[in-house]
Structure formats: structure tokens, C-alpha cells
Amino acid sequence: MAQAMRPNTAGGLFATDGKSHPLQGALLAVTLVLGITSFITAMFHHLHLLSSWTGLVGILTGAYGQWISVTTRERFGLILGLGAAAVGFFLGMAHGGLFGGLVD
């Protein structure tokens, strides 16, 4: 009955390895904040500079976070942030781009 005393670490979609990952957690938080900011500001045409730049940085931080992520929990959050950042980035590009209105 030794198996009855072991915790089930493999069960569940968001299983973690029980260790702390401060860099991955920070990248997850930054990607989510940038993605949400980019997505929300993309709904306003005059905020295209903010949405396109935060989207671009969110895509880059999310991609690096995916590269070094360890757990499914981190990857799930990064994908949500990456998706929001990408939508915000593309809408920001459609509304004027990274330098729209600044360069003649």
C-alpha cells in the first residue's frame, strides 16, 4: 500500500513540479500584463502606438517565456498572454503601426 501514500503529481492539467520558478513566473506576469494592455488599447484607434509596442514586447517576452517554461501552468498562461498580445499588436499595426503619425 505504499502507492496509496504518494501524492498524485501527474494528475490534472495544471500539474506543477513543486519547485519555484521565479524567472518563468515573472515572464508570465509581464506577458499577461502586456497582452491585456495591448488587447484593450487596440480597441481605440488613437492608441495604436501603445497597442502595437506593448503587443510587440508581449510577443517577444511570451516567446522567450515559452522557450524556458517548465510547467504546463506556465505555458497555459503564456499562451493566453501571447494571444492577447498578438491580437493587440496586429490591430495596432492596422490602425497606424509602430511609428504611425510620428514619421513624415
Side-chain angles (χ1 to χ4, degrees):
M1 291 293 280
Q3 68 272 14
M5 298 302 290
R6 291 188 202 145
N8 185 7
T9 58
L13 179 61
F14 298 115
T16 181
D17 60 355
K19 298 176 186 172
S20 175
H21 304 111
L23 177 61
Q24 290 86 349
L27 286 171
L28 171 61
V30 168
T31 302
L32 283 173
V33 167
L34 289 171
I36 291 169
T37 303
S38 177
F39 184 78
I40 290 173
T41 58
M43 304 305 163
F44 305 99
H45 294 282
H46 61 281
L47 294 176
H48 62 87
L49 289 173
L50 181 61
S51 64
S52 59
W53 280 106
T54 55
L56 180 62
V57 174
I59 290 170
L60 295 175
T61 58
Y64 182 67
Q66 280 286 9
W67 187 44
I68 65 169
S69 66
V70 179
T71 64
T72 305
R73 180 177 299 152
E74 295 163 357
R75 293 184 190 115
F76 182 78
L78 284 167
I79 287 297
L80 291 177
L82 269 168
V87 169
F89 173 71
F90 290 130
L91 287 175
M93 293 299 286
H95 293 159
L98 296 169
F99 301 106
L102 296 180
V103 181
D104 289 330

